[in-house]
Amino acid sequence: MKYMLLMQFSGQTDIPPIHTWPAEDVTAHIQFMRETDRKFVEDGLFVDAQGLAGPDQARIVRGGDGGPVITDGPFPETKEFLIGWWIIDCESPERAAEVAAYISAAPGPGGKPLNMPIEVRQVMEAPPEEL
């Protein structure tokens, strides 16, 4: 089964944004993420992973009669936002939760585990052809 692990960040925590961390803490965090991807490949779990630009670069797009309507977003009142994701292929929801817990403990400032929330969602199969 495939699972998407969604890494969330909350502006309501005491963890400062990564661009404000000391360089050595940023390096340790990125090395953890790269090592995690390498380990997932070796373990046969890895399907894909991506980091995302900050919410200040996000845009909300809606279809409209006159073409797309584009607004800045998410908006300043947004408390949480998506900062990256993995798609893994593993045997059970329990294993997906174990993997998410491992990612959650990525090092932050001073090497302290971030314990950030990771949303785990099963990737659904395509509907039957007759639909």
Side-chain angles (χ1 to χ4, degrees):
M1 289 184 273
K2 289 186 179 138
Y3 293 89
M4 184 173 238
L5 310 178
L6 303 160
M7 187 178 0
Q8 306 284 332
F9 184 79
S10 174
Q12 305 291 64
T13 69
D14 60 349
I15 301 168
I18 195 168
H19 69 274
T20 66
W21 298 2
E24 62 272 11
D25 291 341
V26 173
T27 298
H29 182 79
I30 298 303
Q31 286 176 338
F32 174 90
M33 293 300 175
R34 288 182 177 148
E35 180 63 22
T36 295
D37 289 350
R38 187 195 60 71
K39 182 179 181 324
F40 291 172
V41 168
E42 286 179 2
D43 293 347
L45 296 170
F46 188 87
V47 175
D48 195 10
Q50 299 293 325
L52 299 173
D56 59 321
Q57 297 178 40
R59 303 293 175 260
I60 306 296
V61 179
R62 296 178 192 259
D65 291 338
V69 177
I70 303 170
T71 57
D72 291 342
F75 301 100
E77 64 272 10
T78 301
K79 295 178 183 151
E80 294 183 346
F81 53 90
L82 184 63
I83 60 173
W85 51 268
W86 287 260
I87 296 178
I88 61 170
D89 193 351
C90 62
E91 66 279 0
S92 68
E94 293 79 17
R95 179 65 176 129
E98 290 172 7
V99 171
Y102 178 79
I103 294 168
S104 172
K112 182 180 175 187
L114 292 172
N115 297 323
M116 65 190 131
I118 306 292
E119 182 179 344
V120 178
R121 297 183 57 186
Q122 185 177 353
V123 176
M124 303 305 291
E125 306 254 338
E129 288 291 322
E130 60 271 8
L131 291 181

